[in-house]
Amino acid sequence: MSVSSRIAFLRNKLPSNVKLIAVSKFRSVEAIMEAYETGLRLLGENRAQELIAKQKVLPDDIEWHFIGSLQKNKVKDIAPFVHTIHSVDSLKLLQEIDKQAGKQLRIIHVLLEIHIAREKSKHGFIPEECRNMLEKEDMTAYPNIRICGLMGMATFTDEKEQVRKEFRSLCSFFQEFKSSFFANCDYFTELSMGMTDDYEIAVSEGSTMVRIGSYIFGERY
Ligand SMILES: *Cc1c(COP(=O)(O)O)cnc(C)c1O
């Protein structure tokens, strides 16, 4: 199957409120352009250097989503064009994004990444830590960012019930935060969860953004 037919399959399958982000890390410009030609405009990358290199050569109307762990000193390099940063897991990073967005006279959308998986290696706030930050910090003090929702990654496992449980817990944090800290915020609407192996479960548990790479572009390994 071609890149375009895989995208068509996904579009057909995903509910209309779920955004498809094609994860283009490690992929060639040719393969990405095949996705672009189908009308797809949301691309996800997880390394700053690669994102910058691709943004230079690909069309300007692509909406770039940063989905990997982000070092503070790289924020300034992507701030001129990045649309959404999915992987904000500290107050310091949030502050840096606000500062660099301000310098560019831009507003950058961010998602707070919550650690829901069993693996220790995955990034993200511990839920309690995120709640504490939101209780203490006045988020209106950061006018150059827009906190649009939450992001999370499930445990890498074949146990579908475990994955479902983790996505369900992320969705419940999302609802809790939406009705408390973000009650007056009409743009706190996004729940970024689901990848090639688990997007169907994620969608059934309330995802509004799926980040899919291997299914669209083929296995990487
Ligand atoms: C690579 C990556 C994806 C896409 O994974 P696939 O299994 O290839 O669909 C999604 N989210 C993040 C954070 C990633 O790093």
Side-chain angles (χ1 to χ4, degrees), residues 46 58 116 221:
N46 70 341
L58 285 161
I116 51 170
Y221 309 103

Side-chain angles (χ1 to χ4, degrees), residues 21 23 25-27 45-46 67-69 86-87 113 151 153 194-197 210-216 218-220:
I21 300 172
V23 177
K25 64 190 186 199
F26 312 132
R27 308 299 178 171
E45 286 283 337
N46 70 341
I67 60 174
S69 78
H86 288 228
S87 40
E113 181 176 357
M151 180 271 216
M153 288 167 83
M195 311 173 24
T196 293
D197 290 335
V210 292
R211 310 176 309 271
I212 298 186
S214 322
Y215 178 77
I216 295 174
E219 285 300 324
R220 266 174 288 133

Side-chain angles (χ1 to χ4, degrees), residues 1-8 11 22 24 27-41 43 58-59 62 216-218:
M1 252 207 305
S2 63
V3 166
S4 56
S5 54
R6 285 160 187 266
I7 290 172
R11 283 221 174 89
S24 53
R27 308 299 178 171
S28 68
V29 167
E30 291 69 33
I32 297 169
M33 280 310 290
E34 196 182 335
Y36 180 88
E37 298 301 342
T38 71
L40 190 140
R41 293 293 180 272
L43 291 182
L58 285 161
I62 290 172
I216 295 174
F217 295 108

